[in-house]
Amino acid sequence: MQQLPPSQYIFPNPIEADPEGQGFICIGADLSPSTLFEAYTHGLFPWFNEDEPICWWSPEPRCIIEPHAYKPSKSLIRNMKKHDYRITINHAFEDVIRSCSLPRSYANETWISEDIISGYCALFQAGYAYSVEVWQQQDNLVGGLYGVSIGKGCFGESMFSTETDVSKMAFYTLMLIGQENQLPWIDCQLVNDHLLSLGASTLSRQAYLKSLQDVIIAPSINWKSYQERVFSSKRIAVFAKLDG
């Protein structure tokens, strides 16, 4: 994990900048690792279309999921036992984020631009981002997710799948990592029905920002210990823990 230089940008307090709770905080800056680090430690994340300037958000309320309270569905467990995918951590970060950037069946456009990809790949190289990959056979990437990690703050960004339930398998793996490291929550940013179906809930922005200041100074997750192992979806489903 690299020591990042101080950011040249100072982000405003989200509550002072947005007292009405609309979520939009400010515009501008860049997507360098130092800027992204500064933003996430102050409760902000970038979200904008490719032809727009960089926009920074801090929604009210904040969507989070508590790893210790997560319960996988019975259908997910059945699929994990049936197909026995390989699951890895931090083996193919750029491949995952590029897969997440592809158009979906419900939307032709994506907010994950080349600038976003470049910025988060640099953040990953500095040690402040992670990916979970799901593989079919030896080298066929069929699903995964990526996010940001600072201290015990874990911030989910996006996921993708090309086979049934494989993004949920990556999500379940992330929940188990959260349980092992006693993470109080994983940030899901914006509320939507899909996240709520997975067990997400909400925090007020004020409560989220207060908790954030505690988690970012806690000892970091040892991602390398997970990176060195390969997990089986079948074994995860059977034993409800990471055993690889």
Side-chain angles (χ1 to χ4, degrees), residues 49-211:
N49 292 322
E50 191 167 9
D51 58 349
E52 297 174 345
I54 301 172
C55 297
W56 300 91
W57 299 78
S58 182
E60 171 70 275
R62 193 79 171 217
C63 185
I64 58 103
I65 189 161
E66 298 172 326
H68 69 272
Y70 173 76
K71 302 293 183 185
S73 68
K74 292 181 180 178
S75 62
L76 174 60
I77 294 300
R78 282 197 301 269
N79 275 332
M80 293 180 76
K81 291 178 179 178
K82 179 179 178 181
H83 296 287
D84 197 17
Y85 294 99
R86 292 171 56 247
I87 300 175
T88 58
I89 311 297
N90 290 350
H91 283 209
F93 182 90
E94 184 171 350
D95 291 338
V96 169
I97 191 172
R98 288 194 176 278
S99 296
C100 289
S101 76
L102 298 175
R104 310 296 173 97
S105 59
Y106 52 83
N108 291 325
E109 296 183 351
T110 174
W111 61 273
I112 304 176
S113 64
E114 282 297 324
D115 287 342
I116 288 282
I117 292 171
S118 177
Y120 282 83
C121 282
L123 192 67
F124 172 73
Q125 292 299 323
Y128 298 100
Y130 64 88
S131 61
V132 180
E133 304 91 17
V134 183
W135 306 87
Q136 190 177 54
Q137 305 303 327
Q138 188 64 27
D139 57 359
N140 182 22
L141 182 65
V142 293
L145 56 80
Y146 78 96
V148 173
S149 178
I150 302 172
K152 278 193 165 45
C154 194
F155 312 87
E157 284 296 317
S158 188
M159 61 178 69
F160 84 98
S161 63
T162 61
E163 299 288 342
T164 302
D165 279 348
V166 290
S167 62
K168 294 179 181 178
M169 295 179 196
F171 189 80
Y172 183 18
T173 303
L174 182 62
M175 292 301 105
L176 291 173
I177 291 173
Q179 292 171 18
E180 287 189 357
N181 290 274
Q182 299 181 315
L183 305 187
W185 44 255
I186 290 175
D187 177 31
C188 301
Q189 299 178 348
L190 298 163
V191 182
N192 62 48
D193 291 340
H194 175 62
L195 290 171
L196 292 175
S197 73
L198 294 176
S201 58
T202 60
L203 283 177
S204 71
R205 184 165 59 186
Q206 185 173 6
Y208 172 81
L209 293 174
K210 184 176 185 298
S211 177

Side-chain angles (χ1 to χ4, degrees), residues 218-230:
S220 299
I221 298 171
N222 182 4
W223 290 103
K224 186 176 181 181
S225 69
Y226 296 104
Q227 184 175 339
E228 294 170 345
R229 299 148 69 190
V230 176

